[in-house]
Amino acid sequence: MKSNLFKYNFITSFIVALCFITNGFAQKTDASNYRMKFKFKTVKQKDNSRLLEVSFIGQNKKNRKDKVPVYNAEINFYNTLNEDEKLLGTSKTSKEGIAQLVLQKNQNYLTDKNGYINLKAEFKGTDAIDEEDSEIAVKDINLELNLKEIDSVKTGIITAYTIDSVGVKTPVEEAEVIISIKSMLSNMKIKEGTIENGKYEFEFPTDIPGDANNNIIVYSSIEDSDDFGNVIQEKSANWGVFKKEIKKNKNTLWSKAAPLWMYIVLTILLVGVWANYMYTIINLFKISKEGKELILNSEE
């Protein structure tokens, strides 16, 4: 009876505690306690498709380190021109608060007289969260990266241009560009420069680590440009350096040969075990012998 009563009290206490935790979490994530961060950006990718991305995050008004992603919010993406709005697509935010839409390279855009594509991301709002929207304007730039050896010098050549509605190419007058190499955790920046009159040329370093076949992946990117937004292009080349260092491995737990101290400890343990066996067997023989002598003495 006491056991059942204890179980009942434990279960009741657990449910009450769970209710308090749930209520506390609900209050903590109350939308009125958070300031909404609605960030919109566009990236022209290596295959010339365009990525539209919204980051929708709630930041605590009192504790700025407390951030909560807005999940499953429906985001509409538009291409606008004056009073015209062309719906490009709709996407819902992920558990990280990110909504993305990819537009193919042959996408037709409405552009203004200066050649800007006006893009808009909109969240229509709910009972708990107010509506949000953000607009950006970018020119459709074409970024090309070529890697070649010129007079035995490894050289990178970047060209950038825009194309108008009738197909006329216009070199980009000026744009900052970053050259980086793909690495395990993040891209390694090796050079920065300025595209002028549609071109930027640079000498490639000769000491960049590559894979086992000396291959590397090179990126050229324009980041957060007022005119072009974010643009990235990549190329692979056999310009890396692979250095295989041969080291004599010490005896370790994960190597084929164990450390010396482990052999010593194991030997002592085995000797101790077998000594205990021998001691037990000898004593058994002694006990048996003494038992027989006692029986003989009692018979006499």
Side-chain angles (χ1 to χ4, degrees):
M1 182 67 179
K2 288 183 178 180
S3 177
N4 291 335
L5 182 60
F6 174 79
K7 289 181 180 179
Y8 175 79
N9 290 335
F10 174 79
I11 294 171
T12 304
S13 300
F14 178 78
I15 294 173
V16 171
L18 185 61
C19 290
F20 273 114
I21 293 171
T22 306
N23 290 336
F25 180 78
Q27 291 173 3
K28 183 180 178 183
T29 55
D30 185 356
S32 63
N33 296 327
Y34 287 77
R35 182 178 291 105
M36 296 301 160
K37 301 290 185 179
F38 190 83
K39 296 182 179 179
F40 179 32
K41 73 173 184 178
T42 177
V43 181
K44 188 163 187 182
Q45 303 181 110
K46 63 180 182 179
D47 59 354
N48 287 323
S49 63
R50 182 173 294 279
L51 171 68
L52 306 182
E53 180 179 287
V54 163
S55 173
F56 201 3
I57 306 292
Q59 185 180 49
N60 195 299
K61 294 177 181 178
K62 295 181 179 180
N63 181 9
R64 294 186 178 182
K65 293 183 180 180
D66 179 18
K67 298 180 180 180
V68 179
V70 179
Y71 172 58
N72 207 35
E74 187 172 271
I75 310 297
N76 294 322
F77 295 94
Y78 299 94
N79 176 200
T80 65
L81 180 61
N82 299 325
E83 300 300 323
D84 296 332
E85 280 191 349
K86 178 182 177 182
L87 180 63
L88 299 172
T90 300
S91 178
K92 290 187 176 181
T93 54
S94 65
K95 292 181 179 179
E96 291 75 33
I98 304 296
Q100 294 182 332
L101 179 68
V102 176
L103 306 174
Q104 299 305 313
K105 63 179 181 180
N106 56 357
Q107 175 73 38
N108 291 320
Y109 298 101
L110 303 173
T111 58
D112 61 22
K113 62 181 180 180
N114 295 317
Y116 284 94
I117 304 169
N118 296 284
L119 300 167
K120 178 182 177 182
E122 181 184 59
F123 169 66
K124 292 187 176 181
T126 63
D127 294 337
I129 305 175
D130 294 335
E131 64 178 88
E132 300 280 351
D133 65 75
S134 180
E135 296 185 36
I136 52 178
V138 293
K139 289 184 177 180
D140 191 18
I141 184 177
N142 289 273
L143 192 67
E144 296 179 356
L145 171 63
N146 290 297
L147 303 173
K148 60 177 67 175
E149 289 194 20
I150 301 176
D151 297 329
S152 299
V153 177
K154 294 175 180 177
T155 306
I157 303 172
I158 297 173
T159 55
Y161 56 90
T162 58
I163 303 177
D164 61 19
S165 57
V166 294
V168 177
K169 295 183 179 180
T170 303
V172 172
E173 293 182 3
E174 186 175 342
E176 300 298 321
V177 65
I178 297 171
I179 314 301
S180 57
I181 304 295
K182 184 178 181 180
S183 58
M184 290 185 65
L185 299 178
S186 61
N187 293 343
M188 179 179 68
K189 186 189 298 184
I190 61 170
K191 194 175 287 290
E192 292 185 43
T194 303
I195 298 172
E196 295 180 345
N197 297 319
K199 190 174 182 180
Y200 175 67
E201 188 173 315
F202 63 95
E203 184 177 337
F204 197 84
T206 57
D207 58 349
I208 301 297
D211 62 14
N213 297 316
N214 296 331
N215 293 321
I216 56 174
I217 297 177
V218 185
Y219 296 98
S220 61
S221 58
I222 297 173
E223 298 181 358
D224 299 324
S225 168
D226 292 337
D227 289 325
F228 309 111
N230 299 277
V231 188
I232 190 167
Q233 192 56 257
E234 73 173 53
K235 272 288 190 334
S236 60
N238 189 244
W239 286 1
V241 178
F242 178 71
K243 295 180 180 179
K244 184 178 181 181
E245 297 183 3
I246 301 176
K247 296 182 180 179
K248 185 178 180 180
N249 293 327
K250 296 181 180 180
N251 291 2
T252 57
L253 293 175
W254 52 85
S255 64
K256 292 182 178 179
L260 181 61
W261 64 265
M262 186 172 285
Y263 288 111
I264 295 172
V265 172
L266 182 60
T267 301
I268 293 172
L269 291 174
L270 290 175
V271 169
V273 170
W274 281 105
N276 186 56
Y277 286 158
M278 295 301 296
Y279 177 77
T280 303
I281 292 170
I282 291 170
N283 280 291
L284 287 174
F285 277 114
K286 286 183 178 181
I287 292 170
S288 177
K289 184 178 180 181
E290 291 177 358
K292 290 179 180 179
E293 290 177 353
L294 289 172
I295 293 172
L296 290 173
N297 292 333
S298 62
E299 288 178 353
E300 292 176 358

